[in-house]
Amino acid sequence: AEDEIAAFEREIKQFWASFKSIYGSEQASQTVALRDSCKESIKALTEKCSQKLKEEDLMIDKIKEYNNEILQQNKFISENEENLTEIKSDISHEEEQIKSLLDSIQELKEELMKKKEIIASKNQATKERVEQLCKSKALFEEHLGLEIRRIHDEQLQFIFRHIDHKDPEKPYTFTLLINEQGDYEVTSHSPPLDCIAEFQQKVRETNNFSAFIANIRKAFTELSYK
């Protein structure tokens, strides 16, 4: 716009020089006033246009600034959406882990209850079997010369006498308990017997406790003759 105004001013100067050569100084003076008025108008117009251009440049800068802000906001929103998606995924994963943990805890509780029931049942069975053995004490003492004692940890000690004809009061002993599986288990025997494991396995299979006691007494008797 400024280049067009400068070109327009040059044309006016050329017009003025031509007019002055044709119409003389008087007409030229009048034309000078007209030209000056025109120049003032043009100057005002130029300033107005220049101001308008500056305002438009400012507006363009503002638009660019707003566009940059919009881009930044969009980027921020996009990043937040990605973070939100990731957070939702983490929450979902944690919820699955919590559910799995709760299921495992419930399973452990149920398993523990079953084990408690089994242990209670075994303890009751063990107690009953120990009581039954104690009730048979008189019978064993009478027929086999056997003494039965209850010692620590719910174990029973069996003491045979009248085995060694040289020393009838010499004790031959073994200690018995009922283990966690509910089986008879010999924990000690004196003097040592090589066949104790065989007798132990047999009573577990047959549950014939009287035969078990008789076999051990017989083994002690045979040992006394060696």
Side-chain angles (χ1 to χ4, degrees):
E2 292 179 352
D3 292 339
E4 291 177 354
I5 293 171
F8 183 69
E9 288 179 344
R10 287 195 299 272
E11 291 178 0
I12 290 176
K13 289 180 180 180
Q14 291 176 359
F15 172 78
W16 164 246
S18 177
F19 184 82
K20 183 177 180 181
S21 62
I22 298 172
Y23 295 99
S25 60
E26 184 176 351
Q27 289 84 356
S29 298
Q30 295 177 358
T31 303
V32 168
L34 180 61
R35 186 196 67 178
D36 291 340
S37 177
C38 184
K39 288 178 68 176
E40 290 296 328
S41 297
I42 292 171
K43 182 179 179 182
L45 179 61
T46 301
E47 292 177 352
K48 186 175 181 180
C49 290
S50 177
Q51 182 64 31
K52 188 68 175 178
L53 289 172
K54 290 180 181 179
E55 291 176 357
E56 289 178 353
D57 289 341
L58 290 174
M59 183 63 68
I60 290 172
D61 292 338
K62 283 290 185 183
I63 291 173
K64 289 180 179 179
E65 183 179 346
Y66 291 151
N67 284 336
N68 289 333
E69 289 181 0
I70 291 172
L71 290 174
Q72 291 297 325
Q73 289 293 332
N74 288 338
K75 182 179 179 182
F76 178 74
I77 291 171
S78 178
E79 290 176 352
N80 283 343
E81 288 178 347
E82 291 177 358
N83 291 336
L84 182 60
T85 301
E86 184 177 351
I87 290 171
K88 287 182 178 179
S89 177
D90 291 341
I91 291 174
S92 177
H93 181 64
E94 289 177 358
E95 288 177 347
E96 291 178 359
Q97 288 184 326
I98 291 172
K99 184 179 181 301
S100 177
L101 180 60
L102 292 176
D103 291 342
S104 298
I105 291 173
Q106 183 61 31
E107 290 178 1
L108 288 174
K109 285 182 178 179
E110 294 175 358
E111 185 178 351
L112 181 61
M113 290 298 296
K114 290 180 181 178
K115 287 184 177 180
K116 285 183 177 179
E117 292 174 359
I118 292 172
I119 291 172
S121 176
K122 287 184 176 180
N123 287 342
Q124 182 62 29
T126 300
K127 183 178 179 181
E128 291 174 358
R129 292 174 74 176
V130 170
E131 289 176 354
Q132 184 180 1
L133 291 174
C134 290
K135 288 178 182 178
S136 302
K137 176 181 179 180
L139 178 63
F140 288 132
E141 286 179 348
E142 180 180 353
H143 293 281
L144 301 176
L146 174 65
E147 179 184 355
I148 302 175
R149 298 176 182 175
R150 178 178 291 184
I151 57 177
H152 56 85
D153 297 331
E154 295 298 326
Q155 296 187 72
L156 294 177
Q157 185 182 50
F158 294 77
I159 305 172
F160 294 100
R161 300 184 191 278
H162 307 296
I163 290 179
D164 190 345
H165 62 283
K166 296 179 182 178
D167 185 3
E169 294 301 316
K170 179 180 178 180
Y172 289 74
T173 67
F174 74 94
T175 304
L176 183 73
L177 62 77
I178 299 174
N179 61 26
E180 294 182 355
Q181 289 72 37
D183 296 326
Y184 293 109
E185 181 177 338
V186 177
T187 58
S188 66
H189 42 96
S190 177
L193 293 174
D194 295 335
C195 54
I196 200 71
E198 178 185 348
F199 293 160
Q200 180 176 266
Q201 182 61 32
K202 191 170 183 179
V203 73
R204 290 178 180 178
E205 295 172 355
T206 64
N207 203 32
N208 190 338
F209 190 74
S210 296
F212 172 69
I213 296 296
N215 287 333
I216 292 180
R217 189 179 191 283
K218 182 178 179 181
F220 278 141
T221 301
E222 292 175 353
L223 187 64
S224 68
Y225 287 102
K226 292 182 180 180

